[in-house]
Amino acid sequence: MGYELIEQYFPNITDVQKEQFKALDGLYKEWNDKINVISRKDTENIYERHVLHSLCIARLVELNPGSSILDLGTGGGFPGIPMAILFPKTQFTLIDGTKKKIKVVSEIAEAIGLKNVRPKHLRAEDCTERFDFVITRAVASSDKLMNWSRRLIKKKQEHTLPNGIIALKGGDIEKETTLLGKREYHEIYPLRDLIDRELFEDKYILYIQW
């Protein structure tokens, strides 16, 4: 499935956003030939496996203009780049400890004219800013995410969903929750309840707040 999936589930995007989403296919294929940033078997299905998967977060929370989001361990730019396209007035910082991946993120963001993305070659432990939400996709176990993110979350609340971690997860989600401490409140959202695609079976959003 191609770009039409994005318009199917997000029909109100602007012409500029449409062109930005459409450009991702060719850009990622081009960069993946140079630097392996996504699985090569996924390059023919980038919109469902990567772009739409990332945008499931947008079905959970509407991000306010001027708010700040950290994509922790962004890899090739997911979920940060698709979310930044969808929310052009929200500021996204995309960090990763692998320099070549951040180069790809920087080049793709520049190529499609994303002005609300700051790619940084940075480990979570070295990040000193604070954000409304930390978003992640298949980065680390929930206890590690908590250890990295606790000091990175702003105390001031600006959204209906309280500030916290929004993590795209697969596999044994119940096991993930057992790694959290008693102080952490969490909720599990099956992705098929947000965007009903067969590919999203056994995939979830784990939301953590404290």
Side-chain angles (χ1 to χ4, degrees):
M1 297 294 289
Y3 159 77
E4 65 274 8
L5 268 179
I6 307 307
E7 281 201 64
Q8 178 182 340
Y9 290 101
F10 298 91
N12 297 321
I13 57 176
T14 67
D15 289 341
V16 170
Q17 289 169 315
K18 289 175 185 178
E19 293 308 311
Q20 288 174 325
F21 279 124
K22 286 177 182 178
L24 294 181
D25 183 49
L27 286 167
Y28 274 104
K29 285 177 179 176
E30 178 184 344
W31 276 103
N32 223 47
D33 287 339
K34 305 172 187 176
I35 300 170
N36 190 21
V37 290
I38 61 175
S39 172
R40 296 197 183 278
K41 63 182 175 62
D42 288 349
T43 55
E44 298 305 318
N45 198 11
I46 187 173
Y47 286 105
E48 186 174 29
R49 291 186 176 273
H50 296 281
V51 180
L52 192 63
H53 185 216
S54 298
L55 294 177
C56 286
I57 294 173
R59 291 299 183 97
L60 180 65
V61 58
E62 178 81 15
L63 298 176
N64 294 339
S67 58
S68 59
I69 311 299
L70 175 67
D71 180 359
L72 190 160
T74 189
F78 300 104
I81 283 181
M83 288 290 288
I85 295 173
L86 195 64
F87 295 102
K89 295 183 179 179
T90 299
Q91 300 303 311
F92 289 82
T93 300
L94 280 57
I95 68 171
D96 200 278
T98 304
K99 190 173 184 179
K100 64 180 181 180
K101 291 182 178 179
I102 288 298
K103 176 178 173 58
V104 173
V105 170
S106 299
E107 294 288 347
I108 288 177
E110 183 176 352
I112 63 175
L114 274 184
K115 305 299 185 184
N116 58 329
V117 165
R118 292 189 307 159
K120 292 189 174 184
H121 177 221
L122 188 69
R123 296 173 56 194
E125 297 92 325
D126 300 321
C127 187
T128 58
E129 297 178 60
R130 289 182 179 268
F131 305 88
D132 294 277
F133 293 100
V134 171
I135 61 175
T136 72
R137 181 175 183 255
V139 170
S141 59
S142 56
D143 55 335
K144 289 182 180 178
L145 289 177
M146 276 300 310
N147 289 337
W148 293 335
S149 303
R150 192 185 298 277
R151 63 184 177 78
L152 302 178
I153 301 294
K154 291 180 181 178
K155 292 184 179 180
K156 183 180 178 181
Q157 307 288 339
E158 297 185 9
H159 297 82
T160 53
L161 188 72
N163 297 357
I165 301 170
I166 302 174
L168 288 161
K169 289 281 186 181
D172 190 346
I173 194 66
E174 296 297 338
K175 182 179 178 181
E176 285 278 354
T177 62
T178 65
L179 300 174
L180 297 172
K182 294 181 179 180
R183 294 170 53 193
E184 286 83 47
Y185 171 80
H186 72 272
E187 291 183 6
I188 298 169
Y189 298 89
L191 290 197
R192 289 201 73 168
D193 290 350
L194 302 172
I195 294 179
D196 189 13
R197 303 288 302 178
E198 185 177 353
L199 180 68
F200 297 158
E201 189 71 38
D202 299 324
K203 296 184 186 296
Y204 309 89
I205 284 177
L206 177 60
Y207 165 68
I208 309 169
Q209 185 254 336
W210 54 93

